[in-house]
Amino acid sequence: MSTWYLSHQILIQSTFISLLLALSIQVPLRAGVFSFAGIGSYAIGAYTAAILTIRFQVPGIVAIGAGVLFAAVVGYLLALLVARLSGLYLGMATISFALFLAVVATNGGDLTGGATGLYGAISTVTTEHVLAVTAIVVLLLAANERGAFGRRVDAVREDPQLAVSLGIDVIRLRRTVFVISGALGACAGGMNSLLRTTVSPETIGFHLVVTALTMIIVGGALSWAGAAIGAVIFTWLPTVLQFVGEWQLLVYGFLVAIAAVYFPTGLLGLLQSGWRWFRARGRRIPAEGAGALEPDAAEEPERVLSALSSAEARQ
Amino acid sequence: MAQDVLNALTLGSLYLLFALGMSLAWGTIGILNFAHGSIFMFAAFSAHLIVRDVALPIVAVIAFGVLVGAALSVLLQVLAFEPIQRRAEDHRKAELQILVGGIGIAIIPLAIAQHLTRSVPFGYSAGTFSVTTWDLGFVRLSNIQLITLVTAFGLAGLIGWWLRAARPGLALRAIGVDSEVATMMGVDRRRLALLTMAVAGGLAGLAGVLLTYYLGSIAPETGDAFLLKAFAAIILGGVGSIAGVVVGALVLAGIETFVLVTTNGSWTPAIAFGLIFFMLLVRPNGLFGRQEVRRT
């Protein structure tokens, strides 16, 4: 176990960092906010942590914490700026925000190290720290996906107008989501640059958007667990499927395309509906004879309704 | 100075050809195709594969690129976007799925081209066409620049006229306003969507082949850069407006050329992103876009 752990340390680190990055897109997406600002926050976090570590030799936790705070503030300001936008327009605005930051990093002169980036950001951050941070983040997110707050987020995603009429402060929730997304992205970026001791503009780009989206879409966008499934799959797939080798990108493309077209709820959604089907089947089999009629009759209106709505959707 | 203007116009025409189809599909049938850049690149790449073996004249190369682009685009529509639009619960979710699906599909042609070329730029040096430059005194104009300018503005005018005056064009615009009512009025949404995607793909293929002739060679990654620039052009002009795309493409190319000439050029990639962000903040419907009412 421990030799395996040591020899796969880099992969373990990148699994958790990708998970945090994926969560920075998944959290807004769950609230129906199509924002890629998390990628920009990743850049902010990565550069802030590296600059603070190299120039002022601050401890790793302070460097990352400063990046997280800074990105959270930027996230709030961005939320105020793009408050009018929604859907694809919001997605495009936040993508351009993230890519703009990459160009800024290239042109930052001495502060950001230009096109070559920064080297030698040595700190005491270890895999255990990454694990602990990710565990706390996941616990908090999992708690927020349940109960009243979770239902509120669901309402805002499914029908913002309805949510407003139910007294949910949609605008405030959207701002909160931007702040959380900024903090998560910056946390991932900061930890990544301190663990790798380097950051360069090439590591921030459109490919990062693709990576994060890939994980969320294949895993499932509606829960942190989906992002976790995605992060594990796409970090470990290259090592498992070594024969895929140079066609790795092609496999990724196919996976994302198939998931986006045919399984919009991702692997998590498939697992959930499979589990529900399994349980429902288990319940019906023993109830033969007189008892069998009752649940059937109770399900009848529901089934009729769902048949109706699917017929409507097809039109 | 005059030379810079001409170069900006040529670049603008290439952006225009690329963005025209994307804007058309987005503004009418509601498909924001993120694989447009990949189609553009792969059409140019397929033409390269043919030209490598058979020395073809430019007309044949262009025709081949247009056909490949249109075929890929129609295939994408049938295999991915139609199923998404059929299955999605509502318009918003369909938009998102189309965007994500496009991003995923865009990887596939890119991976194939990168694998076959080993990421080395490709061109049409084996073809029969050669670039000749005429010196007009104040400016030097090459034959490929002339072809690009004429086709880009000609096609933009043609499509603009078709949308305004022809019956299918009117039907397509009706879909853009309200797809359900349009269907009730007897508009065949599916057929028009396929036609739109074919035209968009064909234009992308045309832009790809012309860009490859203009620059001599292009790398497989060029598609991604063009995609984001086309967004800037579309957002600047307003989604679905042909005049808007023309103005957007020319303004973007103009600013980029200006920055490239006056500075060392390291800020050039930021212009498109800055424009997108700025326009979405100040005027999300673009300079020529329709006003849209959104309540939340």
Side-chain angles (χ1 to χ4, degrees):
Chain A
M1 178 66 202
S2 86
T3 46
W4 178 86
Y5 177 77
L6 286 175
S7 60
H8 290 83
Q9 208 156 20
I10 301 277
L11 271 177
I12 294 169
Q13 287 168 355
S14 46
T15 310
F16 287 102
I17 287 170
S18 328
L19 172 58
L20 284 178
L21 181 69
L23 284 174
S24 80
I25 311 288
Q26 185 265 329
V27 168
L29 212 53
R30 186 175 142 72
V33 178
F34 195 34
S35 156
F36 292 104
I39 308 296
S41 311
Y42 181 91
I44 293 176
Y47 271 97
T48 312
I51 290 168
L52 286 180
T53 313
I54 294 170
R55 299 218 160 190
F56 306 103
Q57 280 87 38
V58 298
I61 180 131
V62 178
I64 295 173
V68 169
L69 269 182
F70 183 37
V73 172
V74 172
Y76 185 73
L77 295 177
L78 189 67
L80 295 183
L81 269 178
V82 298
R84 285 203 297 164
L85 303 176
S86 67
L88 291 181
Y89 292 90
L90 181 62
M92 285 319 300
T94 46
I95 286 186
S96 26
F97 164 74
L99 297 179
F100 189 79
L101 284 182
V103 185
V104 171
T106 319
N107 287 284
D110 280 345
L111 186 66
T112 61
T116 46
L118 296 168
Y119 293 92
I122 294 154
S123 75
T124 52
V125 176
T126 63
T127 316
E128 285 74 24
H129 294 137
V130 180
L131 264 168
V133 170
T134 317
I136 295 169
V137 166
V138 164
L139 275 178
L140 286 175
L141 288 179
N144 273 324
E145 280 179 13
R146 300 169 161 274
F149 187 76
R151 285 196 292 276
R152 233 174 280 159
V153 173
D154 288 339
V156 171
R157 178 187 66 242
E158 292 299 329
D159 197 334
Q161 273 110 330
L162 181 70
V164 170
S165 71
L166 290 174
I168 298 170
D169 194 342
V170 174
I171 294 171
R172 201 176 133 192
L173 194 118
R174 282 191 181 155
R175 282 181 196 157
T176 318
V177 150
F178 264 92
V179 173
I180 297 174
S181 152
L184 286 174
C187 192
M191 288 198 298
N192 193 52
S193 55
L194 291 192
L195 283 171
R196 309 269 171 273
T197 72
T198 156
V199 59
S200 71
E202 281 160 34
T203 55
I204 304 140
F206 192 61
H207 68 96
L208 215 55
V209 176
V210 177
T211 314
L213 257 188
T214 306
M215 291 175 179
I216 302 168
I217 296 305
V218 174
L222 293 186
S223 165
W224 67 269
I229 295 174
V232 170
I233 290 180
F234 285 102
T235 321
W236 292 84
L237 198 62
T239 59
V240 179
L241 289 178
Q242 262 166 358
F243 63 91
V244 173
E246 44 196 332
W247 292 108
Q248 185 189 327
L249 263 179
L250 197 72
V251 175
Y252 281 19
F254 269 113
L255 281 178
V256 178
I258 290 168
V261 177
Y262 296 104
F263 310 107
T265 50
L267 277 176
L268 184 73
L270 273 186
L271 288 177
Q272 280 170 340
S273 49
W275 172 241
R276 252 179 249 129
W277 174 83
F278 182 73
R279 292 236 325 232
R281 199 186 61 146
R283 220 180 288 140
R284 211 171 294 159
I285 286 173
E288 277 180 4
L293 282 171
E294 257 180 41
D296 251 343
E299 270 170 30
E300 202 63 24
E302 226 183 345
R303 211 185 295 157
V304 171
L305 262 182
S306 70
L308 268 178
S309 64
S310 63
E312 251 173 27
R314 233 168 256 134
Q315 277 170 7
Chain B
M1 180 62 204
Q3 189 63 50
D4 292 334
V5 172
L6 179 67
N7 291 344
L9 275 174
T10 315
L11 185 65
S13 326
L14 288 165
Y15 287 164
L16 173 60
L17 279 176
F18 184 89
L20 205 55
M22 232 166 95
S23 173
L24 192 66
W26 190 5
T28 56
I29 53 176
I31 286 175
L32 175 53
N33 184 2
F34 249 82
H36 202 68
S38 265
I39 292 174
F40 153 89
M41 181 278 300
F42 205 76
F45 178 65
S46 317
H48 158 76
L49 290 181
I50 294 290
V51 170
R52 210 175 47 178
D53 296 333
V54 192
L56 288 173
I58 184 166
V59 181
V61 179
I62 288 179
F64 185 73
V66 169
L67 279 181
V68 172
L72 285 176
S73 194
V74 166
L75 201 67
L76 182 65
Q77 168 73 3
V78 172
L79 289 183
F81 296 158
E82 267 183 6
I84 289 176
Q85 285 192 325
R86 209 165 43 229
R87 287 152 167 262
E89 291 161 35
D90 61 55
H91 176 66
R92 242 169 6 112
K93 281 195 183 131
E95 264 186 354
L96 181 92
Q97 265 176 270
I98 285 173
L99 184 130
V100 174
I103 290 180
I105 291 162
I107 303 174
I108 299 169
L110 180 65
I112 295 173
Q114 277 180 337
H115 183 79
L116 293 178
T117 61
R118 315 247 163 244
S119 289
V120 175
F122 55 86
Y124 303 140
S125 48
T128 59
F129 179 78
S130 63
V131 177
T132 44
T133 312
W134 303 296
D135 201 337
L136 304 181
F138 61 102
V139 66
R140 291 168 65 80
L141 176 73
S142 74
N143 48 358
I144 191 70
Q145 275 180 317
L146 190 66
I147 296 173
T148 310
L149 287 168
V150 170
T151 41
F153 289 103
L155 282 173
L158 188 69
I159 290 176
W161 169 83
W162 184 76
L163 278 177
R164 209 156 271 286
R167 271 182 79 81
L170 282 173
L172 192 59
R173 271 167 57 214
I175 294 176
V177 176
D178 192 323
S179 136
E180 276 166 28
V181 175
T183 315
M184 280 190 267
M185 299 296 147
V187 172
D188 188 347
R189 192 184 176 287
R190 180 165 188 266
R191 210 171 51 98
L192 274 175
L194 283 174
L195 178 69
T196 309
M197 288 304 281
V199 170
L203 285 170
L206 178 63
V209 173
L210 286 176
L211 179 75
T212 315
Y213 270 121
Y214 180 51
L215 295 181
S217 64
I218 64 168
E221 293 81 12
T222 315
D224 279 348
F226 252 69
L227 188 73
L228 291 160
K229 293 191 174 173
F231 271 124
I234 293 170
I235 298 280
L236 189 61
V239 177
S241 156
I242 300 300
V245 189
V246 175
V247 172
L250 290 181
V251 168
L252 178 67
I255 300 178
E256 279 192 341
T257 311
F258 177 74
V259 171
L260 200 64
V261 171
T262 51
T263 69
N264 68 359
S266 61
W267 281 100
T268 319
I271 294 163
F273 310 139
L275 265 181
I276 297 176
F277 200 75
F278 177 75
M279 278 313 286
L280 285 176
L281 290 187
V282 230
R283 208 181 143 80
N285 296 310
L287 297 172
F288 296 83
R290 263 201 326 268
Q291 286 296 318
E292 208 173 326
V293 183
R294 290 200 183 202
R295 285 185 186 79
T296 49

PDB file of all heavy atoms in Angstrom, chain A residues 269-288:
ATOM      1  N   GLY A 269     -25.486   9.880 -12.878  1.00  0.00           N
ATOM      2  CA  GLY A 269     -26.907   9.775 -13.174  1.00  0.00           C
ATOM      3  C   GLY A 269     -27.282   8.361 -13.592  1.00  0.00           C
ATOM      4  O   GLY A 269     -28.317   7.826 -13.185  1.00  0.00           O
ATOM      5  N   LEU A 270     -26.402   7.744 -14.410  1.00  0.00           N
ATOM      6  CA  LEU A 270     -26.649   6.365 -14.847  1.00  0.00           C
ATOM      7  C   LEU A 270     -26.687   5.431 -13.650  1.00  0.00           C
ATOM      8  O   LEU A 270     -27.581   4.588 -13.518  1.00  0.00           O
ATOM      9  CB  LEU A 270     -25.532   5.906 -15.778  1.00  0.00           C
ATOM     10  CG  LEU A 270     -25.671   6.212 -17.257  1.00  0.00           C
ATOM     11  CD1 LEU A 270     -24.541   5.545 -18.001  1.00  0.00           C
ATOM     12  CD2 LEU A 270     -27.008   5.734 -17.767  1.00  0.00           C
ATOM     13  N   LEU A 271     -25.693   5.595 -12.752  1.00  0.00           N
ATOM     14  CA  LEU A 271     -25.636   4.752 -11.561  1.00  0.00           C
ATOM     15  C   LEU A 271     -26.885   4.935 -10.717  1.00  0.00           C
ATOM     16  O   LEU A 271     -27.478   3.963 -10.242  1.00  0.00           O
ATOM     17  CB  LEU A 271     -24.402   5.104 -10.722  1.00  0.00           C
ATOM     18  CG  LEU A 271     -23.056   4.673 -11.279  1.00  0.00           C
ATOM     19  CD1 LEU A 271     -21.935   5.161 -10.385  1.00  0.00           C
ATOM     20  CD2 LEU A 271     -22.999   3.165 -11.408  1.00  0.00           C
ATOM     21  N   GLN A 272     -27.287   6.200 -10.567  1.00  0.00           N
ATOM     22  CA  GLN A 272     -28.456   6.481  -9.723  1.00  0.00           C
ATOM     23  C   GLN A 272     -29.718   5.863 -10.312  1.00  0.00           C
ATOM     24  O   GLN A 272     -30.493   5.215  -9.603  1.00  0.00           O
ATOM     25  CB  GLN A 272     -28.637   7.991  -9.558  1.00  0.00           C
ATOM     26  CG  GLN A 272     -27.708   8.571  -8.512  1.00  0.00           C
ATOM     27  CD  GLN A 272     -27.717  10.072  -8.507  1.00  0.00           C
ATOM     28  OE1 GLN A 272     -28.115  10.694  -9.488  1.00  0.00           O
ATOM     29  NE2 GLN A 272     -27.261  10.665  -7.418  1.00  0.00           N
ATOM     30  N   SER A 273     -29.910   6.037 -11.631  1.00  0.00           N
ATOM     31  CA  SER A 273     -31.148   5.491 -12.192  1.00  0.00           C
ATOM     32  C   SER A 273     -31.085   3.965 -12.203  1.00  0.00           C
ATOM     33  O   SER A 273     -32.102   3.296 -12.018  1.00  0.00           O
ATOM     34  CB  SER A 273     -31.419   6.068 -13.578  1.00  0.00           C
ATOM     35  OG  SER A 273     -30.281   5.973 -14.371  1.00  0.00           O
ATOM     36  N   GLY A 274     -29.856   3.413 -12.390  1.00  0.00           N
ATOM     37  CA  GLY A 274     -29.702   1.965 -12.323  1.00  0.00           C
ATOM     38  C   GLY A 274     -30.070   1.443 -10.936  1.00  0.00           C
ATOM     39  O   GLY A 274     -30.773   0.444 -10.785  1.00  0.00           O
ATOM     40  N   TRP A 275     -29.623   2.160  -9.919  1.00  0.00           N
ATOM     41  CA  TRP A 275     -29.897   1.774  -8.530  1.00  0.00           C
ATOM     42  C   TRP A 275     -31.388   1.850  -8.247  1.00  0.00           C
ATOM     43  O   TRP A 275     -31.977   0.958  -7.641  1.00  0.00           O
ATOM     44  CB  TRP A 275     -29.111   2.698  -7.599  1.00  0.00           C
ATOM     45  CG  TRP A 275     -29.408   2.570  -6.137  1.00  0.00           C
ATOM     46  CD1 TRP A 275     -29.898   3.536  -5.330  1.00  0.00           C
ATOM     47  CD2 TRP A 275     -29.207   1.419  -5.310  1.00  0.00           C
ATOM     48  NE1 TRP A 275     -30.017   3.073  -4.055  1.00  0.00           N
ATOM     49  CE2 TRP A 275     -29.605   1.767  -4.008  1.00  0.00           C
ATOM     50  CE3 TRP A 275     -28.728   0.116  -5.552  1.00  0.00           C
ATOM     51  CZ2 TRP A 275     -29.550   0.878  -2.950  1.00  0.00           C
ATOM     52  CZ3 TRP A 275     -28.671  -0.769  -4.495  1.00  0.00           C
ATOM     53  CH2 TRP A 275     -29.079  -0.389  -3.223  1.00  0.00           C
ATOM     54  N   ARG A 276     -32.033   2.920  -8.746  1.00  0.00           N
ATOM     55  CA  ARG A 276     -33.470   3.075  -8.528  1.00  0.00           C
ATOM     56  C   ARG A 276     -34.237   1.940  -9.202  1.00  0.00           C
ATOM     57  O   ARG A 276     -35.154   1.361  -8.644  1.00  0.00           O
ATOM     58  CB  ARG A 276     -33.939   4.422  -9.078  1.00  0.00           C
ATOM     59  CG  ARG A 276     -34.275   5.396  -7.956  1.00  0.00           C
ATOM     60  CD  ARG A 276     -34.714   6.713  -8.507  1.00  0.00           C
ATOM     61  NE  ARG A 276     -33.723   7.736  -8.236  1.00  0.00           N
ATOM     62  CZ  ARG A 276     -33.219   8.552  -9.130  1.00  0.00           C
ATOM     63  NH1 ARG A 276     -33.614   8.461 -10.382  1.00  0.00           N
ATOM     64  NH2 ARG A 276     -32.334   9.436  -8.784  1.00  0.00           N
ATOM     65  N   TRP A 277     -33.845   1.607 -10.412  1.00  0.00           N
ATOM     66  CA  TRP A 277     -34.492   0.528 -11.158  1.00  0.00           C
ATOM     67  C   TRP A 277     -34.343  -0.788 -10.413  1.00  0.00           C
ATOM     68  O   TRP A 277     -35.277  -1.559 -10.255  1.00  0.00           O
ATOM     69  CB  TRP A 277     -33.854   0.451 -12.551  1.00  0.00           C
ATOM     70  CG  TRP A 277     -34.330  -0.707 -13.366  1.00  0.00           C
ATOM     71  CD1 TRP A 277     -35.469  -0.756 -14.102  1.00  0.00           C
ATOM     72  CD2 TRP A 277     -33.692  -1.978 -13.522  1.00  0.00           C
ATOM     73  NE1 TRP A 277     -35.588  -1.971 -14.708  1.00  0.00           N
ATOM     74  CE2 TRP A 277     -34.506  -2.745 -14.364  1.00  0.00           C
ATOM     75  CE3 TRP A 277     -32.496  -2.525 -13.020  1.00  0.00           C
ATOM     76  CZ2 TRP A 277     -34.179  -4.036 -14.739  1.00  0.00           C
ATOM     77  CZ3 TRP A 277     -32.176  -3.817 -13.383  1.00  0.00           C
ATOM     78  CH2 TRP A 277     -33.009  -4.559 -14.238  1.00  0.00           C
ATOM     79  N   PHE A 278     -33.100  -1.011  -9.901  1.00  0.00           N
ATOM     80  CA  PHE A 278     -32.802  -2.240  -9.180  1.00  0.00           C
ATOM     81  C   PHE A 278     -33.681  -2.356  -7.935  1.00  0.00           C
ATOM     82  O   PHE A 278     -34.275  -3.398  -7.658  1.00  0.00           O
ATOM     83  CB  PHE A 278     -31.324  -2.216  -8.785  1.00  0.00           C
ATOM     84  CG  PHE A 278     -30.861  -3.452  -8.064  1.00  0.00           C
ATOM     85  CD1 PHE A 278     -30.684  -4.638  -8.740  1.00  0.00           C
ATOM     86  CD2 PHE A 278     -30.606  -3.404  -6.697  1.00  0.00           C
ATOM     87  CE1 PHE A 278     -30.266  -5.760  -8.083  1.00  0.00           C
ATOM     88  CE2 PHE A 278     -30.185  -4.535  -6.028  1.00  0.00           C
ATOM     89  CZ  PHE A 278     -30.013  -5.721  -6.714  1.00  0.00           C
ATOM     90  N   ARG A 279     -33.799  -1.251  -7.183  1.00  0.00           N
ATOM     91  CA  ARG A 279     -34.598  -1.268  -5.962  1.00  0.00           C
ATOM     92  C   ARG A 279     -36.070  -1.466  -6.281  1.00  0.00           C
ATOM     93  O   ARG A 279     -36.774  -2.222  -5.619  1.00  0.00           O
ATOM     94  CB  ARG A 279     -34.426   0.046  -5.188  1.00  0.00           C
ATOM     95  CG  ARG A 279     -33.046   0.213  -4.622  1.00  0.00           C
ATOM     96  CD  ARG A 279     -33.056   0.443  -3.124  1.00  0.00           C
ATOM     97  NE  ARG A 279     -34.193   1.209  -2.657  1.00  0.00           N
ATOM     98  CZ  ARG A 279     -34.088   2.285  -1.893  1.00  0.00           C
ATOM     99  NH1 ARG A 279     -32.898   2.754  -1.586  1.00  0.00           N
ATOM    100  NH2 ARG A 279     -35.164   2.883  -1.438  1.00  0.00           N
ATOM    101  N   ALA A 280     -36.532  -0.770  -7.315  1.00  0.00           N
ATOM    102  CA  ALA A 280     -37.944  -0.868  -7.680  1.00  0.00           C
ATOM    103  C   ALA A 280     -38.270  -2.294  -8.086  1.00  0.00           C
ATOM    104  O   ALA A 280     -39.316  -2.848  -7.728  1.00  0.00           O
ATOM    105  CB  ALA A 280     -38.257   0.099  -8.814  1.00  0.00           C
ATOM    106  N   ARG A 281     -37.362  -2.923  -8.833  1.00  0.00           N
ATOM    107  CA  ARG A 281     -37.582  -4.289  -9.271  1.00  0.00           C
ATOM    108  C   ARG A 281     -37.612  -5.220  -8.069  1.00  0.00           C
ATOM    109  O   ARG A 281     -38.450  -6.096  -7.951  1.00  0.00           O
ATOM    110  CB  ARG A 281     -36.458  -4.696 -10.214  1.00  0.00           C
ATOM    111  CG  ARG A 281     -36.806  -5.872 -11.073  1.00  0.00           C
ATOM    112  CD  ARG A 281     -35.587  -6.262 -11.848  1.00  0.00           C
ATOM    113  NE  ARG A 281     -34.521  -6.628 -10.912  1.00  0.00           N
ATOM    114  CZ  ARG A 281     -33.627  -7.581 -11.172  1.00  0.00           C
ATOM    115  NH1 ARG A 281     -33.657  -8.200 -12.316  1.00  0.00           N
ATOM    116  NH2 ARG A 281     -32.697  -7.893 -10.297  1.00  0.00           N
ATOM    117  N   GLY A 282     -36.678  -5.012  -7.133  1.00  0.00           N
ATOM    118  CA  GLY A 282     -36.598  -5.842  -5.932  1.00  0.00           C
ATOM    119  C   GLY A 282     -37.882  -5.784  -5.125  1.00  0.00           C
ATOM    120  O   GLY A 282     -38.307  -6.771  -4.536  1.00  0.00           O
ATOM    121  N   ARG A 283     -38.496  -4.603  -5.146  1.00  0.00           N
ATOM    122  CA  ARG A 283     -39.690  -4.435  -4.329  1.00  0.00           C
ATOM    123  C   ARG A 283     -40.888  -5.153  -4.960  1.00  0.00           C
ATOM    124  O   ARG A 283     -41.743  -5.677  -4.280  1.00  0.00           O
ATOM    125  CB  ARG A 283     -40.012  -2.943  -4.183  1.00  0.00           C
ATOM    126  CG  ARG A 283     -40.484  -2.583  -2.791  1.00  0.00           C
ATOM    127  CD  ARG A 283     -40.791  -1.095  -2.724  1.00  0.00           C
ATOM    128  NE  ARG A 283     -39.593  -0.285  -2.746  1.00  0.00           N
ATOM    129  CZ  ARG A 283     -39.499   0.862  -3.418  1.00  0.00           C
ATOM    130  NH1 ARG A 283     -40.507   1.298  -4.148  1.00  0.00           N
ATOM    131  NH2 ARG A 283     -38.394   1.569  -3.382  1.00  0.00           N
ATOM    132  N   ARG A 284     -40.933  -5.146  -6.274  1.00  0.00           N
ATOM    133  CA  ARG A 284     -42.148  -5.659  -6.908  1.00  0.00           C
ATOM    134  C   ARG A 284     -42.177  -7.180  -6.927  1.00  0.00           C
ATOM    135  O   ARG A 284     -43.233  -7.775  -6.836  1.00  0.00           O
ATOM    136  CB  ARG A 284     -42.239  -5.126  -8.344  1.00  0.00           C
ATOM    137  CG  ARG A 284     -43.686  -4.956  -8.777  1.00  0.00           C
ATOM    138  CD  ARG A 284     -43.759  -4.222 -10.091  1.00  0.00           C
ATOM    139  NE  ARG A 284     -43.282  -2.860  -9.967  1.00  0.00           N
ATOM    140  CZ  ARG A 284     -42.853  -2.133 -11.009  1.00  0.00           C
ATOM    141  NH1 ARG A 284     -42.832  -2.658 -12.200  1.00  0.00           N
ATOM    142  NH2 ARG A 284     -42.458  -0.910 -10.838  1.00  0.00           N
ATOM    143  N   ILE A 285     -41.039  -7.819  -7.042  1.00  0.00           N
ATOM    144  CA  ILE A 285     -41.024  -9.274  -7.226  1.00  0.00           C
ATOM    145  C   ILE A 285     -41.680 -10.037  -6.075  1.00  0.00           C
ATOM    146  O   ILE A 285     -42.567 -10.855  -6.323  1.00  0.00           O
ATOM    147  CB  ILE A 285     -39.583  -9.772  -7.492  1.00  0.00           C
ATOM    148  CG1 ILE A 285     -39.217  -9.374  -8.915  1.00  0.00           C
ATOM    149  CG2 ILE A 285     -39.477 -11.285  -7.314  1.00  0.00           C
ATOM    150  CD1 ILE A 285     -37.792  -9.655  -9.264  1.00  0.00           C
ATOM    151  N   PRO A 286     -41.335  -9.754  -4.785  1.00  0.00           N
ATOM    152  CA  PRO A 286     -41.965 -10.557  -3.728  1.00  0.00           C
ATOM    153  C   PRO A 286     -43.455 -10.291  -3.604  1.00  0.00           C
ATOM    154  O   PRO A 286     -44.193 -11.141  -3.114  1.00  0.00           O
ATOM    155  CB  PRO A 286     -41.231 -10.124  -2.463  1.00  0.00           C
ATOM    156  CG  PRO A 286     -40.586  -8.853  -2.798  1.00  0.00           C
ATOM    157  CD  PRO A 286     -40.369  -8.828  -4.254  1.00  0.00           C
ATOM    158  N   ALA A 287     -43.918  -9.127  -4.062  1.00  0.00           N
ATOM    159  CA  ALA A 287     -45.317  -8.786  -3.838  1.00  0.00           C
ATOM    160  C   ALA A 287     -46.215  -9.391  -4.914  1.00  0.00           C
ATOM    161  O   ALA A 287     -46.797  -8.688  -5.728  1.00  0.00           O
ATOM    162  CB  ALA A 287     -45.476  -7.273  -3.791  1.00  0.00           C
ATOM    163  N   GLU A 288     -46.281 -10.697  -4.942  1.00  0.00           N
ATOM    164  CA  GLU A 288     -47.175 -11.348  -5.905  1.00  0.00           C
ATOM    165  C   GLU A 288     -48.539 -11.554  -5.278  1.00  0.00           C
ATOM    166  O   GLU A 288     -48.690 -11.532  -4.070  1.00  0.00           O
ATOM    167  CB  GLU A 288     -46.591 -12.694  -6.331  1.00  0.00           C
ATOM    168  CG  GLU A 288     -45.574 -12.520  -7.442  1.00  0.00           C
ATOM    169  CD  GLU A 288     -45.001 -13.844  -7.873  1.00  0.00           C
ATOM    170  OE1 GLU A 288     -45.456 -14.874  -7.360  1.00  0.00           O
ATOM    171  OE2 GLU A 288     -44.109 -13.816  -8.716  1.00  0.00           O
TER     172      GLU A 288
END
